[in-house]
């Protein structure tokens, strides 16, 4: 099933989704959670429309189709820095609140991690984590690039943002796919679970042969908010998943709360990150 509005652009910019996550899950929550989860505010109309389209179209078959297509990695081959500069073309000139390109956003995240003395692979993960958004430059609509991620092939949790929109998803009434476990087994482990398609899953597959396992969990599940903030899918997770999610929890504050108005000096920092990438990654990456 394809929604008639699937090519709509409901978000003002890709960053609007992350800003909404910060509103939903503030670092210092002095209000009751239900106050922050007020999705009916008019300012969030574009986010609501984004999730309507996302939830209708992120089906089990759709995810398998996208994996079969994009995991061939036959779109483009680039060095890491070329890929980052390619990503910079996603800057939204219509957004009046931020004029930072993608390089600067990635550097804000990684520099905050470096300032806290974390290992070099952790710093590199901060720099890489949003690189999968190049999917937009390969023609993918926003709803198939960003957004909170969730398992497909089993019942959609009511802990996912705007769960009511799943009622229009064909999997919602598919008896094979709409039970608690669906096509999976209890505590089968997330590596055996298909997640909704987007930049997290895409980048994980690009990086899975190069980075330490904690880094791969950070990349693959940093948008899986219904689990690491709500515990909605404990029944699919293994003991090992729970151990690894401690790293996801360490990473997310840097992603969401490290944005600052003063941009990093890209020219000064570039040699450091080129040397850092050379420790872990090949000269070029296939996208």
């Amino acid at each position: 099933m394809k929604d008639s509005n699937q090519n709509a652009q409901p978000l003002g910019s890709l960053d609007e989704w992350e800003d909404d996550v910060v509103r939903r899950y503030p670092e210092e929550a002095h209000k009751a959670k239900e106050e922050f989860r007020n999705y009916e505010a008019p300012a969030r109309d574009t986010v609501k429309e984004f999730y309507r389209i996302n939830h209708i179209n992120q089906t089990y078959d759709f995810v398998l189709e996208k994996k079969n297509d994009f995991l061939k990695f036959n779109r483009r081959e680039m060095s890491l820095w070329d890929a980052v500069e390619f990503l910079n073309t996603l800057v939204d000139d219509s957004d009046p609140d931020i004029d930072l390109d993608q390089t600067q956003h990635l550097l804000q995240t990684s520099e905050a991690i470096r300032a806290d003395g974390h290992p070099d692979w952790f710093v590199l993960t901060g720099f890489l984590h949003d690189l999968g958004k190049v999917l937009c430059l390969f023609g993918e609509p926003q709803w198939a690039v960003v957004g909170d991620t969730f398992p497909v092939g089993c019942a959609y949790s009511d802990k996912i943002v705007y769960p009511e929109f799943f009622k229009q998803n064909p999997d919602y009434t598919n008896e094979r796919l709409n039970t608690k476990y669906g096509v999976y087994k209890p505590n089968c482990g997330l590596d055996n679970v298909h997640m909704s398609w987007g930049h997290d899953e895409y980048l994980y597959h690009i990086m899975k042969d190069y980075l330490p396992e904690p880094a791969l969990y950070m990349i693959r599940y940093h948008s899986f908010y219904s689990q690491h903030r709500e515990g909605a899918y404990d029944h699919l997770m293994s003991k090992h998943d729970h151990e690894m999610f401690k790293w996801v929890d360490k990473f997310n504050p840097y992603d969401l709360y490290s944005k600052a108005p003063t941009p990093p000096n890209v020219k000064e920092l570039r040699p450091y990150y080129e040397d850092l990438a050379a420790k872990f990654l090949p000269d070029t990456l296939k996208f």
Side-chain angles (χ1 to χ4, degrees), residues 132-147:
K133 290 179 181 178
V134 298
L135 284 168
C136 279
L137 301 171
F138 297 141
E140 289 297 273
Q142 293 175 354
W143 60 263
V145 177
V146 297

Side-chain angles (χ1 to χ4, degrees), residues 53 66 92 111 136 149 159 169 188 209 247 277 284 286:
I53 301 171
K66 288 299 178 182
D92 184 357
E111 282 297 285
C136 279
T149 59
K159 300 296 185 183
N169 184 306
C188 61
D209 293 331
W247 289 104
T284 60
K286 293 182 179 180

Side-chain angles (χ1 to χ4, degrees), residues 31-49:
K31 297 181 181 178
K33 184 179 290 185
E34 56 269 21
E35 292 184 64
F36 287 107
R37 296 178 70 89
N38 173 20
Y39 301 119
E40 301 310 313
R44 300 191 188 177
D45 285 349
T46 58
V47 175
K48 186 174 183 178
E49 173 64 7

Side-chain angles (χ1 to χ4, degrees), residues 74-86:
N74 58 3
R75 258 76 178 177
R76 192 161 178 167
E77 186 168 348
M78 300 176 276
S79 69
L80 173 61
W81 207 268
D82 284 344
V84 171
E85 291 184 340
F86 181 48

Side-chain angles (χ1 to χ4, degrees), residues 49-58 143-144 146 148 150:
E49 173 64 7
F50 166 84
Y51 277 113
R52 186 187 72 82
I53 301 171
N54 174 277
H55 290 358
I56 290 172
N57 288 283
Q58 287 276 1
W143 60 263
V146 297
D148 295 25
F150 44 83

